[in-house]
Amino acid sequence: MFLDVKRLEINRIDEEIINLIISRNLISDEIIKFKIDNDFGVYDKNRELSIINNLKSKFKDSIDPLLIEELYSKILFYSKKEHIDIIKNSKLGQIVKDKPFLIAGPCSVESEEQIHKIASDLAKFGIKYLRGGAFKPRTSPNTFQGLGNIGIKYLSDAAHSNDMKVVTEVMSANQLKENYKYIDIIQIGSKNMFSYQLIKDIAEINKTNNKPIILKRNFNATLKELIYASEYLRNENQSNIILCLRGIRTFEQIESRLRFTPDLASIVELRKLTDLPIIFDPSHSSGDAEFVLELSKGALAMGVDGLIIETHYNPSESIVDAKQTISYTVLKKIFLFIEQIRLGIE
């Protein structure tokens, strides 16, 4: 009898908790819709930290503060989750609305003629985002380091003359300042994921226009470290952030043909840890063009929001990363696979 009574009380309290969460989400929905309609960032890190810290301080003698933090992190995450695909007025929303999207182009801008030809070719396929490196963070200082500022100009001219957007990496604040008007989507490369001052500098330069930023996971970084790096951007009021998985180093590289271990499973885990869009880089994940098609299909099957791929009209001629650069034939197969997903074709 005692247990029955107490269990009924517990059931009643559980229902009250769920009803309160529902009520909270309804109010949260109104706030988020207002933010979207007025082109405000949906994510407010300071507000969320304030909510959690106030509750931890107020109830610290009654309940473990860590439990409060864990519970509210999930409540706050799910209050935003269903709105991620309807950020209709943001620059990021214009990208993710037609997901999965495809970013493609050469590893490096090699010449004006090369990048114009590739841009023209890819635009005919229906690809809207042109990638290309002008500043190359090469492991060896004796290898091609990119064309620099003139390479960015070539990339911009090629993309915009074909109604495409420019996606490129910068390695310093000065590089971004000098070329900001030419870049549509800023990339922070894998080797700079831990360069927190650079991340903050990029956010400061980008604070007015809030252009999308692709943040690539370092090949030695945990997922938590990747999220922390993204929070450096969010704390500087950057709301158009895309996370990019590009393979990690594991013991497999001792004898594997692959350059890195493709972090496909991280797509699923990241979905539970963040509300940010996630893209996958099959080119760097594998380091070998032979595996790019199947890895792309795998990532898409796991629900990734987009792909970023290296391609060239003659891969063997590519100055940088020729081995992992795919042909147009393979690129078309990936693009058609994406189109099937968009149309809901099995």
Side-chain angles (χ1 to χ4, degrees):
M1 183 66 177
F2 172 82
L3 283 178
D4 290 339
V5 171
K6 293 301 176 185
R7 284 171 176 165
L8 286 172
E9 290 181 16
I10 289 288
N11 290 345
R12 178 182 56 78
I13 292 171
D14 286 341
E15 290 178 4
E16 288 180 5
I17 291 171
I18 296 300
N19 280 322
L20 286 171
I21 290 175
I22 292 170
S23 297
R24 187 191 190 285
N25 279 347
L26 289 173
I27 297 172
S28 177
D29 284 347
E30 293 176 5
I31 293 172
I32 290 174
K33 287 174 183 175
F34 175 82
K35 287 182 175 181
I36 291 171
D37 289 340
N38 290 277
D39 203 16
F40 297 158
V42 171
Y43 184 84
D44 187 340
K45 180 68 174 177
N46 292 330
R47 167 64 176 161
E48 294 194 357
L49 286 174
S50 175
I51 291 171
I52 292 173
N53 289 334
N54 287 341
L55 291 171
K56 286 165 67 175
S57 176
K58 186 172 184 177
F59 296 102
K60 62 183 177 181
D61 295 328
S62 303
I63 189 170
D64 185 351
L66 291 176
L67 179 58
I68 292 175
E69 182 172 343
E70 184 176 349
L71 287 172
Y72 266 80
S73 293
K74 292 185 181 299
I75 288 172
L76 292 168
F77 171 70
Y78 281 103
S79 70
K80 303 187 298 290
K81 191 173 187 298
E82 66 179 277
H83 297 277
I84 297 308
D85 292 338
I86 58 167
I87 308 176
K88 60 184 178 184
N89 293 324
S90 73
K91 295 181 179 68
L92 186 58
Q94 297 305 307
I95 299 173
V96 302
K97 69 178 181 179
D98 291 326
K99 69 178 187 179
F101 55 93
L102 179 58
I103 301 169
C107 178
S108 178
V109 178
E110 300 164 6
S111 68
E112 186 174 15
E113 294 75 19
Q114 172 246 22
I115 196 62
H116 272 270
K117 175 171 172 47
I118 292 175
S120 176
D121 293 340
L122 299 191
K124 291 172 184 174
F125 297 165
I127 294 170
K128 299 176 182 178
Y129 303 97
L130 179 67
R131 58 147 296 145
F135 305 102
K136 300 304 297 178
R138 308 298 301 284
T139 302
S140 169
N142 302 315
T143 51
F144 179 63
Q145 304 291 307
L147 296 180
N149 290 347
I150 190 63
I152 294 281
K153 181 67 165 56
Y154 291 159
L155 180 67
S156 175
D157 289 345
H160 296 152
S161 63
N162 287 283
D163 198 25
M164 302 173 80
K165 300 295 185 183
V166 171
V167 182
T168 196
E169 177 181 357
V170 293
M171 298 189 294
S172 73
N174 283 338
Q175 288 174 358
L176 182 58
K177 286 178 183 177
E178 291 174 1
N179 298 284
Y180 188 75
K181 66 180 179 180
Y182 300 120
I183 302 171
D184 299 303
I185 301 174
I186 304 160
Q187 181 176 303
I188 299 173
S190 171
K191 292 178 181 177
N192 282 319
M193 193 209 87
F194 288 119
S195 300
Y196 302 129
Q197 187 57 52
L198 173 61
I199 290 175
K200 289 191 283 187
D201 290 343
I202 287 173
E204 175 64 23
I205 296 167
N206 194 45
K207 66 181 180 181
T208 301
N209 291 302
N210 199 18
K211 294 180 180 181
I213 297 174
I214 294 175
L215 178 64
K216 298 192 82 171
R217 181 186 188 182
N218 184 276
F219 46 75
N220 290 322
T222 66
L223 291 181
K224 184 173 285 188
E225 288 168 337
L226 174 61
I227 291 171
Y228 283 156
S230 74
E231 289 181 354
Y232 273 94
L233 291 169
R234 282 181 143 170
N235 289 351
E236 299 295 328
N237 296 316
Q238 298 297 295
S239 57
N240 297 326
I241 306 164
I242 301 170
L243 300 181
C244 180
L245 300 172
R246 45 83 65 220
I248 55 176
R249 278 187 176 162
T250 72
F251 68 90
E252 286 189 16
Q253 273 57 64
I254 295 171
E255 54 187 14
S256 174
R257 282 182 55 195
L258 274 64
R259 185 175 175 186
F260 295 97
T261 299
D263 40 353
L264 289 170
S266 297
I267 298 167
V268 178
E269 189 170 4
L270 266 182
R271 285 279 181 242
K272 299 181 181 298
L273 299 174
T274 182
D275 57 355
L276 297 175
I278 302 163
I279 65 175
F280 182 71
D281 180 345
S283 301
H284 284 89
S285 291
S286 63
D288 192 326
E290 181 181 340
F291 300 101
V292 169
L293 175 59
E294 295 306 318
L295 286 175
S296 297
K297 288 182 176 181
L300 291 166
M302 298 183 82
V304 79
D305 295 301
L307 299 172
I308 180 167
I309 292 175
E310 293 181 0
T311 189
H312 196 286
Y313 49 81
N314 190 343
S316 64
E317 290 183 1
S318 183
I319 294 176
V320 182
D321 286 343
K323 185 180 179 183
Q324 68 191 38
T325 300
I326 63 171
S327 66
Y328 287 169
T329 300
V330 177
L331 182 68
K332 286 180 181 178
K333 290 179 181 179
I334 295 170
F335 187 75
L336 288 173
F337 192 76
I338 286 175
E339 287 298 291
Q340 290 176 343
I341 293 173
R342 286 178 179 166
L343 296 172
I345 300 172
E346 294 296 333

